[in-house]
Amino acid sequence: MYTIGVDLGATFVKMGIVDSKARVSYRRKIQTPSGVKKSHLIDIIVCNIRDIIKESGKKVSGVGIGVPGPVDSEKGIVHYFPNIKGWKEVPLESILKKRLGLRVKLDNDVNVTTLGEFVFGSGKGCENLVCITLGTGVGGGIIINGKLYRGGSMVAGEIGHMPINETGPECNCRGIACLERYIGNRYILERARKVFGNSATLEKLSALARSGNKKAIAIWLDVAKKLSVTLIGVVNLLNPDKIVIGGGVSKAGPLILVPLSKEIKSRAMKDQARHVKICLAKLGADAGIIGASLLV
Ligand SMILES: [Zn+2]
């Protein structure tokens, strides 16, 4: 049984054919053209899907697609994309269905990543799981009793927009002192550039910290502490089996994970703290494709 997973992002469109053991083949990675028109982006998706089906010669049972913004996953409608212009209430599912003649399901990218980790990644075997993606945005997906928790109007999981303070910087979600406003990658980079100059990158910041640079270690430690403030609340509230940390910023690995686990284990309520495991995501760059394929 083969399905196609599509990971639509503001920077890249990635896709591949996925088998029942989550092995990905016939990958495509296409740069999302900047300022791309909606119709053109849909063409790119459709043409590449047709291409890989033809190239592989496989019989494909459907297409799952993860998208970078809020959606109505029941109706298959994209509400909007914060980082791609021109998308407003677009019935993407039915458009693709019509053009491809295949079953299509869509969902938000963080939910899709969470599903992937839940079924095939670090969350395998858990019933209650919170998955966090650390990148430009800070996203969250929640599995409760083995099912994705979507909330009343299907937009639950916005961990990055939980305030960690009463006052603080404004966030573009209209909130104040949101977690993302402190540990979204552009804000970590801002801090790094103040200390190490304009050529600083997150990779360099990690490398410096690993080589023992105290100022670099201090920045990662602060990221971990801010994240822990939110996650201690999440752990106390939801009593998850696992917290899975993914996304580009999580490449800092133990620099975040070690102090984060320490904070949670020592500050969350006893039973919750003892039970929860904090780990890194396993599926890496393929999480979006594999998770999306699970939608169908
Ligand atoms: Zn916010």
Side-chain angles (χ1 to χ4, degrees):
M1 174 80 104
Y2 296 93
T3 51
I4 287 178
V6 182
D7 178 4
L8 173 60
T11 339
F12 290 106
V13 183
K14 291 182 275 185
M15 62 177 76
I17 293 192
V18 186
D19 70 10
S20 55
K21 290 192 172 137
R23 286 175 297 211
V24 183
S25 56
Y26 300 93
R27 279 166 222 270
R28 287 281 193 283
K29 184 174 174 182
I30 311 111
Q31 187 133 31
T32 310
S34 70
V36 65
K37 281 205 171 115
K38 184 179 71 190
S39 58
H40 182 203
L41 188 52
I42 294 173
D43 284 344
I44 290 175
I45 298 168
V46 170
C47 291
N48 280 283
I49 290 175
R50 282 186 186 144
D51 241 31
I52 58 174
I53 293 176
K54 204 168 158 195
E55 197 187 313
S56 71
K58 301 261 194 280
K59 198 166 165 38
V60 166
S61 65
V63 177
I65 172 165
V67 301
V71 301
D72 181 331
S73 61
E74 260 169 29
K75 296 195 179 112
I77 290 171
V78 171
H79 291 316
Y80 66 94
F81 293 148
N83 295 311
I84 308 175
K85 282 192 181 140
W87 289 68
K88 213 174 169 216
E89 304 306 320
V90 180
L92 183 61
E93 209 172 274
S94 63
I95 293 172
L96 293 178
K97 209 182 275 177
K98 223 176 265 168
R99 291 191 56 184
L100 292 164
L102 287 166
R103 217 151 65 83
V104 179
K105 276 313 274 179
L106 84 92
D107 207 334
N108 159 275
D109 53 3
V110 184
N111 281 347
V112 158
T113 299
T114 304
L115 263 185
E117 288 295 333
F118 171 58
V119 179
F120 289 114
S122 290
K124 211 170 158 180
C126 290
E127 285 283 287
N128 298 287
L129 170 79
V130 175
C131 183
I132 316 252
T133 55
L134 302 174
T136 311
V138 174
I142 304 165
I143 304 269
I144 293 181
N145 298 333
K147 270 196 169 157
L148 203 56
Y149 176 76
R150 294 179 183 282
S153 62
M154 316 200 92
V155 286
E158 296 289 357
I159 285 174
H161 299 282
M162 285 173 71
I164 60 170
N165 221 326
E166 206 176 347
T167 56
E170 271 176 36
C171 180
N172 57 14
C173 77
R174 81 178 207 171
I176 288 168
C178 292
L179 176 66
E180 183 176 303
R181 192 56 189 73
Y182 298 96
I183 68 159
N185 64 12
R186 84 186 72 160
Y187 302 108
I188 303 175
L189 206 53
E190 246 170 42
R191 294 184 57 183
R193 289 188 172 158
K194 267 187 203 150
V195 181
F196 298 105
N198 279 336
S199 65
T201 62
L202 292 185
E203 287 76 21
K204 284 184 192 165
L205 186 66
S206 296
L208 277 169
R210 280 189 201 108
S211 69
N213 183 294
K214 289 208 168 91
K215 286 176 180 165
I217 293 171
I219 292 177
W220 285 121
L221 189 62
D222 187 66
V223 168
K225 287 212 163 175
K226 295 222 160 50
L227 180 56
S228 79
V229 171
T230 300
L231 291 186
I232 287 163
V234 167
V235 165
N236 288 347
L237 180 72
L238 297 178
N239 185 205
D241 306 318
K242 253 188 194 170
I243 296 204
V244 177
I245 317 268
V249 174
S250 71
K251 286 193 188 128
L255 292 168
I256 294 180
L257 205 67
V258 171
L260 178 68
S261 302
K262 208 171 138 196
E263 286 289 306
I264 292 174
K265 291 288 178 189
S266 66
R267 283 179 59 189
M269 297 172 83
K270 259 190 198 159
D271 290 335
Q272 289 91 323
R274 203 182 303 130
H275 182 74
V276 71
K277 289 195 176 68
I278 322 286
C279 55
L280 291 172
K282 231 184 221 169
L283 301 181
D286 277 343
I289 295 176
I290 294 170
S293 77
L294 289 168
L295 296 172
V296 285

